[in-house]
Amino acid sequence: MRLRRVVVTGLGALTPIGNTLEAYWEGLSNGVSGAAPITQFDASKFKTQFACEVKNFEPSDFIDKKEARRMDRFTQFAIVSTDEAIKDAGLDAAQINPDRIGVIWGTGIGGLHTFLHEVTAFAKGDGTPRFSPFFIPMMIGDISPGLISIRHGYRGPNFATVSACASSTNAIADAFNYIRLNKADIIVTGGSEACVNEAAMGGFNSMKALSERNDDPQTASRPFDLDRDGFVLGEGAGALILEELDHALARGAKIYAEVVGCGLSADAYHMTAPHPEGLGATRVMINALEDAGMKPEEIDYINVHGTSTPLGDPQEIKAIMNVFGEHAYKLNISSTKSMTGHLLGGAGAIETIASILAVYKGIIPPTINHFTDDPAFDPKLNLTFNKVQHREVNAALSNTFGFGGHNASVIIKKFTK
C-alpha cells in the first residue's frame, strides 16, 4: 500500500525555560538555563537540591479549578500544552471529523505526585484506608490522552506509550505510523512528566544519576563537558499535531515540517547503563534513516539524548560516528537538555519540537554550560557549544534513550510539496 505523508501543523510547549511555544524557543535561542533550587518541597536533606521546574504555572489559569484538582501535575501539563498545539494548528475552528483524530501520549512515570501523596497519607494514618476515589485515575499514565480526547471530543486511536525516557518519541513514532497507514488523519501527540518530588529525587540520587552541583545549579547540566556529573531532573510537556499532508493542504493549515522516518531499537544489555559500544543507539539511527529512505549525508542536525552523564554522552557520540562516519564532522550536534534538564518521558517531545523549529527557522539551539573540553570527544565535532548557530537545516534527527535499553529516533525534514 502507498504510505501517506505526515506533516506537523501545530506545536505547544510548557517547559522549565518557557511556558509557551514562543517562550520555549526564545529560551533555547538565548541559551537560558532552567535549573534552580527546588521550590516544590524541602530538598535541604537531599544530595541534589535543585531541578529544572516549570515556573509560574497556575493550572486554574487554563483548567477549571475542580477539574484541575482531579488531575496529577503531569496531566495538567499535557492539557495545557495540547490546548496550545490544537489552537496553533487551527483545529479548534476547523471542520474536522472527530472519528479520524486520535491522541497518543507518552509518559515514563505518570502520576508520581499523586501516588506519593496518597501513600504517604496512608502511612501517616492509623491504618484505616482513606484513599481518594481519584487516586487511581489520577495516577495512571494513560489518563492524559484519555482526558485530552474527552476535552476535545476526539474519538480516534487513543493510548499512552511507556518506554522510560523514550516514551514521547515512541508516541510520535506511533502517531506517524497510524497516520501514514490511514488509521487516522490527525493525531495529537507528545508527552509530559512531573516528577520533581521526594520520591524521584531520592530514587535518582540513590542511583547516583543526578548532578550534585548544588553550589551552581544553573550550570549543572553540562553535556560533553569534562566535569559533567549527572543529569538535572526536569518537568513539563511538549505537544505536536501530526496530520496527513492532503488533509492539511485541503484546510489551508500552516506546515512546520514533515516527519519522514522513525527508528526503534533495544540495547538488550543493562537495566540502566547504555551499551558500551553504543550498539542500540547505532541501530536506532540506522533504522530511522532506512525508514525515511535517507542517507546519513542528508542529515544536517542531531538533537542528541545528551543527558550530561559520564557514561551516556560518550556512547551516543560513538554511535553517531558509527552511523555517520566522516559526515559527522559536517553535522551540528547539540543537547538542549543543557537548558531544560531531563524531562524523562517528556524529553522526546520537547526535543523533537526543538528539531522541528531548527528545520523551520534555520537556527541550531546550543549546548550550553561548556567550560572544559573532554578528550573523549573529537574536537572536530561541532557540538554547538554555548551559542546558537545559523545554517540551513534540511533534515534533523532527534534521539531519546531510556532505562531498560529503549531507544527511539525521529527524522524531521523541511517540507516541500
Side-chain angles (χ1 to χ4, degrees):
M1 64 180 293
R2 183 182 70 88
L3 294 176
R4 308 196 305 168
R5 293 174 67 184
V6 180
V7 293
V8 182
T9 56
L11 298 170
L14 178 58
T15 78
I17 60 171
N19 291 13
T20 64
L21 177 69
E22 182 180 1
Y24 171 51
W25 180 250
E26 184 177 348
L28 290 178
S29 300
N30 291 321
V32 173
S33 170
I38 290 169
T39 64
Q40 295 180 56
F41 67 94
D42 179 5
S44 60
K45 294 183 179 179
F46 286 75
K47 292 178 180 177
T48 299
Q49 300 165 9
F50 60 93
C52 286
E53 295 176 299
V54 169
K55 300 159 186 70
N56 304 313
F57 175 69
E58 177 50 61
S60 61
D61 290 344
F62 308 94
I63 308 166
D64 176 79
K65 282 187 177 181
K66 185 177 180 181
E67 290 182 22
R69 285 196 299 269
R70 295 175 178 178
M71 296 178 189
D72 188 89
R73 188 171 170 90
F74 92 102
T75 298
Q76 294 170 353
F77 289 167
I79 293 293
V80 172
S81 65
T82 53
D83 278 1
E84 182 183 22
I86 289 165
K87 183 177 181 180
D88 185 42
L91 298 186
D92 51 349
Q95 294 297 314
I96 49 180
N97 178 1
D99 293 331
R100 297 284 296 175
I101 304 180
V103 185
I104 302 176
W105 199 254
T107 184
I109 300 177
L112 190 59
H113 278 292
T114 298
F115 187 89
L116 179 62
H117 176 270
E118 292 291 320
V119 172
T120 300
F122 176 71
K124 289 180 178 177
D126 61 4
T128 304
R130 296 187 179 91
F131 291 92
S132 165
F134 297 102
F135 173 26
I136 301 303
M138 287 173 67
M139 178 196 71
I140 54 179
D142 66 294
I143 200 65
S144 288
L147 290 179
I148 293 165
S149 69
I150 291 167
R151 187 174 179 87
H152 297 282
Y154 300 154
R155 296 191 292 265
N158 188 284
F159 59 90
T161 57
V162 180
S163 51
C165 306
S167 296
S168 52
T169 306
N170 270 117
I172 293 165
D174 281 351
F176 171 59
N177 284 325
Y178 271 68
I179 293 171
R180 65 176 175 169
L181 292 171
N182 199 24
K183 305 296 184 183
D185 295 325
I186 299 171
I187 291 187
V188 181
T189 189
S192 59
E193 205 81 90
C195 292
V196 181
N197 57 41
E198 297 90 334
M201 297 301 294
F204 283 123
N205 266 155
S206 69
M207 295 171 61
K208 302 187 183 303
L210 296 178
S211 170
E212 298 178 13
R213 203 179 297 275
N214 295 309
D215 59 334
D216 191 12
Q218 283 202 319
T219 70
S221 184
R222 301 184 178 193
F224 312 118
D225 190 87
L226 179 65
D227 298 320
R228 65 191 182 278
D229 69 331
F231 73 81
V232 177
L233 186 62
E235 63 173 3
L240 301 82
I241 307 301
L242 300 193
E243 187 167 355
E244 191 272 328
L245 174 59
D246 290 339
H247 191 278
L249 292 174
R251 66 181 190 87
K254 170 180 60 182
I255 295 175
Y256 283 102
E258 183 172 1
V259 183
V260 293
C262 293
L264 307 172
S265 77
D267 277 4
Y269 171 71
H270 189 272
M271 186 183 293
T272 56
H275 194 285
E277 298 303 317
L279 295 188
T282 298
R283 173 46 54 190
V284 76
M285 288 186 278
I286 291 172
N287 289 348
L289 287 164
E290 289 179 349
D291 189 46
M294 295 176 67
K295 298 176 181 178
E297 294 76 18
E298 296 179 83
I299 300 295
D300 301 305
Y301 168 52
I302 301 178
N303 186 299
V304 291
H305 188 56
T307 55
S308 182
T309 56
L311 287 179
D313 293 1
Q315 270 75 344
E316 185 168 10
I317 293 299
K318 187 177 292 186
I320 289 171
M321 296 305 300
N322 290 344
V323 175
F324 291 91
E326 286 295 313
H327 182 66
Y329 300 118
K330 298 179 181 179
L331 295 166
N332 271 88
I333 298 167
S334 74
S335 171
T336 47
K337 287 185 179 73
S338 59
M339 294 175 274
T340 65
H342 191 353
L343 268 63
L344 307 179
I350 65 166
E351 290 160 18
T352 299
I353 290 171
S355 303
I356 290 165
L357 293 176
V359 169
Y360 189 63
K361 295 176 179 288
I363 299 174
I364 308 293
T367 305
I368 67 166
N369 298 329
H370 181 72
F371 303 98
T372 308
D373 290 342
D374 185 339
F377 304 117
D378 190 330
K380 292 186 293 183
L381 290 171
N382 184 357
L383 298 173
T384 321
F385 285 135
N386 295 327
K387 292 183 180 180
V388 299
Q389 293 181 16
H390 296 258
R391 67 175 286 179
E392 184 175 6
V393 183
N394 288 306
L397 182 149
S398 180
N399 285 335
T400 45
F401 312 139
F403 285 170
H406 310 292
N407 307 306
S409 298
V410 59
I411 297 177
I412 305 299
K413 196 171 182 180
K414 189 183 291 290
F415 171 67
T416 56
K417 289 186 181 180

